[in-house]
Amino acid sequence: MSRELLNQFTDWAVPRLPLKFRDGRMPYLFFVIWLLIGVMAILAMTTPDPNGAAAPLVFAGVLLVLQAFFIWGWPLSVVTNLGLFAALMLVSHAAWMSGGIFSARMAWMAAIPMIAFYVVSRKAGLAWLALVVAVELAMAYVSWQAWLPDDPTQDAAQAMSSFATYSVVTFIVVTVPFLYDSLFRQAYKASVQRNLALEEKRKELLRTAALRDQFIAMVSHELRTPMNAILGFNNMLLARVSDKPQALKILNHTRQSADHLLTVINDVLDYSQLQAGKIKVQSETFALRDTVHTAFDLFAQRVESMHLQYTCTIHDNVPQWVCADRHRLMQILVNLLGNAIKFTHQGHVTLHVRQQPLCVHFSVRDSGIGIPEAQQSKIFQRFAQAEDDTQSRYGGNGLGLSITQRLVELMGGHIGFVSKVGEGSHFSFTLPLVEVAPPTEDASLATQRATPTEAVQRFLVVDDHPINRLLVRQILKNHWKNCELVEADNGRKALDALRQQDFDVILMDMVMPEMDGIEAARALRQTLSSPACDTPVLGLTANVNPQDLERFLAAGVNAVLLKPFDAQKVCAQVEQMLKEKKSSLGS
């Protein structure tokens, strides 16, 4: 409390001081000067010597005059040295009149070099120390020779003893701050060097982190781009060989391998973005029961060839519609179900969902190998698995549970587990999900399954990868059998095509040479005339960086789908854009 009052007093007093005394240590010097003036006034009033009041008053007057000179512009060193010289004369006169070297007034000598040291400089402090010692030696000699007005009856030994006492005290008093200042300067220099080294290390770590994020984003983009073609063409082939069991089995194996590779890519990217704090929850209204069943059904084909009882139970009181991040909930469920199936050779894997007050409780229970008690404390750590040979025996990268925990916490929930070796594991988490009103028809349009149509549409497909253009062309041809397609491998060629003819929808990649999708979309909206500038644009990109996706949308893209994309979602989104365009033309 007293420190707080002192700070308040300082904040009030400092602005009221003369301008020269407001900065740094000058307010303290102002206080010392007036403290000395007050002490001199008290000494003048209380001295028993009738002739002893003059000296303190003269010294007080000198301090007032020197303070005025400093305010008017005199250098601080000059003013201080003049004040110290006046103080030396005052102390010497007082000692001369009251016993010389034996006078108690000699103790004031120690303060003179101290003031010079702190106010002027170290060299000034040393110079005044030498001068004070010389004055003390002279005062000892005068006392020994009995030249004082009030001659004390002391011999030479006593005079030299007093001189030694005052000199040693003066040396000690002055040496301590000198030593402290030297140590402080050394420590300060070392601290500055250490801080500079730490700052350089921090900058290096930031550069490394930026390069790491850039590298991961680039690798993710380069891997997701071919994965888009692999999964897309695989789905097309699956639809055509439904009556050929052997081919269907091979394609399902291919699909599972591709899904596993995509999971690894997504885990590495998600963990990097979670570490950097770049992943945000994107809330939307969705059907909770349908989402749970979708996540559960992803593993249906895998468990068909296994001796597993694979069940999903959703209580009747679980909300139908909720508002949360559907994609992240799917990711959490897929991670937990995938782990349970991977570590369970026989028995059961059960997904159970029930309503609790103000939240929904999800649990995944299995009868697998379980987790040793010694390893349970680190199961949510990155790159951690229960045993050293788990990776070689079961696969995985050790990131799934770490990402799952972070995602649950990011969505405002909590996750935990219980497990015993040989008896299986039980992972459960809660999310603050409550019933909300169902979405409007327009909001849920994109989730509807698109059906083929005979309508004649003109599409512009812009992508620098010919395989991805082939995939998009095939998807569009399967849905709009009579559509007209024009292709471009960069944004500049896309703009040239738009200047030559009109299109109903543009499907555009983000990352392309010469002119990327962001720049092309911005130029389309700002430089082309109507109706070309109003053409709907569907962004299709393997870049999952949230900042880049926001820039893509801000440039004028109507919607964005991430690669690898689902053919039904692409067709549904294009149908929505066509319907919105037709509605706007009709109005």
Side-chain angles (χ1 to χ4, degrees), residues 297-360:
D297 291 341
L298 287 177
F299 300 95
Q301 288 184 343
R302 184 190 301 184
V303 300
E304 283 181 0
S305 59
M306 304 173 66
H307 302 289
L308 283 181
Q309 183 182 356
Y310 188 53
T311 57
C312 175
T313 303
I314 304 177
H315 283 204
D316 294 338
N317 60 353
V318 170
Q320 177 62 32
W321 294 95
V322 296
C323 186
D325 193 321
R326 178 182 179 276
H327 170 67
R328 296 303 175 188
L329 175 58
M330 279 279 295
Q331 189 174 357
I332 293 167
L333 292 173
V334 167
N335 278 344
L336 294 179
L337 287 169
N339 264 6
I341 294 171
K342 179 169 65 175
F343 296 113
T344 305
H345 303 137
Q346 60 183 359
H348 68 270
V349 172
T350 303
L351 172 60
H352 191 211
V353 185
R354 69 176 187 272
Q355 177 71 44
Q356 289 184 345
L358 301 178
C359 67
V360 175

Side-chain angles (χ1 to χ4, degrees), residues 121-181:
S121 66
R122 302 179 72 196
K123 291 182 178 179
L126 290 172
W128 278 103
L129 175 60
L131 182 58
V132 164
V133 172
V135 171
E136 289 176 342
L137 181 60
M139 191 63 68
Y141 182 76
V142 168
S143 301
W144 173 37
Q145 295 296 330
W147 293 346
L148 301 174
D150 185 13
D151 185 16
T153 57
Q154 305 288 344
D155 57 17
Q158 291 174 318
M160 292 307 295
S161 175
S162 297
F163 163 71
T165 301
Y166 284 118
S167 298
V168 169
V169 170
T170 302
F171 268 108
I172 291 175
V173 170
V174 176
T175 303
V176 169
F178 266 83
L179 179 61
Y180 172 79
D181 181 72

Side-chain angles (χ1 to χ4, degrees), residues 21-30 76 117-121:
F21 288 97
R22 293 181 186 177
D23 297 329
R25 58 189 177 184
M26 299 311 295
Y28 302 101
L29 182 60
F30 183 85
L76 178 63
F117 172 82
Y118 281 114
V119 177
V120 183
S121 66

Side-chain angles (χ1 to χ4, degrees), residues 203-221:
K203 292 179 180 179
E204 181 181 350
L205 290 174
L206 289 175
R207 288 193 296 268
T208 303
L211 289 174
R212 180 202 63 189
D213 293 342
Q214 182 180 357
F215 173 77
I216 291 176
M218 179 188 68
V219 170
S220 172
H221 178 271

